[in-house]
Structure formats: structure tokens, C-alpha cells
Amino acid sequence: MARNLQDHILQTASELFYSQGIKATGVDAIVKAAGTTKMSLYKYFPSKDDLVLAHLRRSREAMLKRILAGIEARASEPRAKLLAVFAVFDELLSSPEFRGCPFINASAEFAEAANPIQRAAVEFSDAFRQILADLARTAGARNPDVLSQQLAMLISGAIVSEQMRRQSGAMRTVSAAAEILIAKSLADAA
């Protein structure tokens, strides 16, 4: 039962953090929404920061898993896998529940470089860029690290654009730009 309560508190907090923002969501609101007590919350998460970090760890695992599964479901060839990333994100952005990237949102709320929440957001970004670099390397890109940085920036920009203006088609727009970057990088390597 304890593990279920801990998971329930984390799930409730994650939903509130994502829908309302981390700083705007107080412990009282989490406790009320979870139907528990502060004592129970603090038993599993000694501070709100611990709860936020658990939320980001959980979001990181879920997001990376979803990205990798989405790529595998859409493509088998290395170049096509790079482009499939954009289809995965286009699907994520079209969800009615979409409220931006939880890591971009957390990074904006906790911008201090030394903040553990900011570092957790950076760790997700680094892990995602590594996936892109590995795909680019397998595809034969001339400079996979540079290409991964370019593609990640396109995706981040599209996420923010879509957050500001829903149904903008931002991910499809940057996907077209990504095709050009990928083709150039592969041609330069040949």
C-alpha cells in the first residue's frame, strides 16, 4: 500500500506540475488533490524539491521511452529514424493535454545553473541529444554531434512555438528544415 501511495502522490504532483507549473503548485494543493496528508507526502518526499526531482526523473524515463519506441515503430533505416523523431514529437504536440515540454518548462522556472531542477532538465536535454547523435552517427552524418544539436534546437523551438500558438504546425515546419540539414550532413560525409 505504501508504494501505491507514494506513486499516487508522485502521479498527482506530476499532473499538477505539468498543468499549472511547478512554482505555482503548492504542497497543500498536491496533498488535497492526492487525498492524503502532508505527513504522508513528506514521508516519501522530504521536500518539494525532492518531489519535483522525482517528477522530472519519471518524466525523463517516460519521455525517452516514448521517443525511442516511436522512432522504432515508424522507421527502420537510420536516415528515416532521424526524421521519425519529428513525427513522434508532432504526435506529442497534437495531444489536447500538451502544455509544453516539462523540461523546458522546469528550466524556465528554475534558471539558475546550479539548481538541481535546472540540472535535471539539462540531463534530459543531454540524453535526448545523445539519442539524436547516435542516430546521426549510424546514418553516416559528417558531424553527428553538430547535427544532433541542430535537430534538438529545431525541436525545442517548435515545442515552444506550439505552446504559444496551438495547432500551428510548428513541428511539421521544422521537420522540413531538418530534412535539408540531414541531407546536407549525409552528402558532406559521402
Side-chain angles (χ1 to χ4, degrees):
M1 179 65 171
R3 184 69 185 166
N4 288 340
L5 179 57
Q6 182 180 11
D7 289 342
H8 177 66
I9 292 168
L10 180 54
Q11 180 62 36
T12 302
S14 291
E15 290 169 5
L16 291 172
F17 291 152
Y18 186 66
S19 66
Q20 299 176 11
I22 295 169
K23 288 185 177 179
T25 302
V27 170
D28 290 333
I30 296 166
V31 166
K32 183 177 179 182
T36 190
T37 64
K38 282 187 181 181
M39 181 183 257
S40 292
L41 183 144
Y42 287 127
K43 174 183 175 184
Y44 300 112
F45 306 99
S47 71
K48 182 179 173 185
D49 282 355
D50 291 320
L51 184 55
V52 172
L53 291 170
H55 153 66
L56 292 175
R57 278 191 300 275
R58 182 184 209 178
S59 296
R60 176 186 176 183
E61 290 171 17
M63 183 75 101
L64 293 175
K65 183 178 178 179
R66 185 166 182 181
I67 291 166
L68 291 169
I71 292 168
E72 291 303 315
R74 286 172 173 81
S76 58
E77 296 178 16
R79 183 180 188 279
K81 286 183 177 189
L82 278 171
L83 292 171
V85 173
F86 291 85
V88 171
F89 275 95
D90 191 40
E91 181 181 290
L92 289 168
L93 272 57
S94 66
S95 165
E97 294 82 29
F98 172 75
R99 302 234 339 123
C101 170
F103 304 98
I104 292 172
N105 295 348
S107 180
E109 288 193 63
F110 298 88
E112 307 83 26
N115 188 296
I117 295 168
Q118 172 71 307
R119 286 196 310 263
V122 169
E123 287 170 9
F124 169 81
S125 177
D126 290 346
F128 176 61
R129 283 189 35 205
Q130 188 59 55
I131 289 170
L132 293 174
D134 292 345
L135 290 171
R137 193 170 290 105
T138 302
R142 179 178 50 103
N143 191 333
D145 293 324
V146 169
L147 181 59
S148 72
Q149 183 175 9
Q150 292 167 334
L151 298 179
M153 290 175 72
L154 287 173
I155 290 168
S156 295
I159 290 169
V160 172
S161 180
E162 186 69 24
Q163 188 172 0
M164 292 170 49
R165 186 170 285 125
R166 298 289 288 145
Q167 308 304 319
S168 69
M171 197 58 66
R172 289 183 297 282
T173 299
V174 299
S175 179
E179 285 190 56
I180 295 167
L181 288 169
I182 293 165
K184 172 104 173 84
S185 183
L186 296 180
D188 287 351

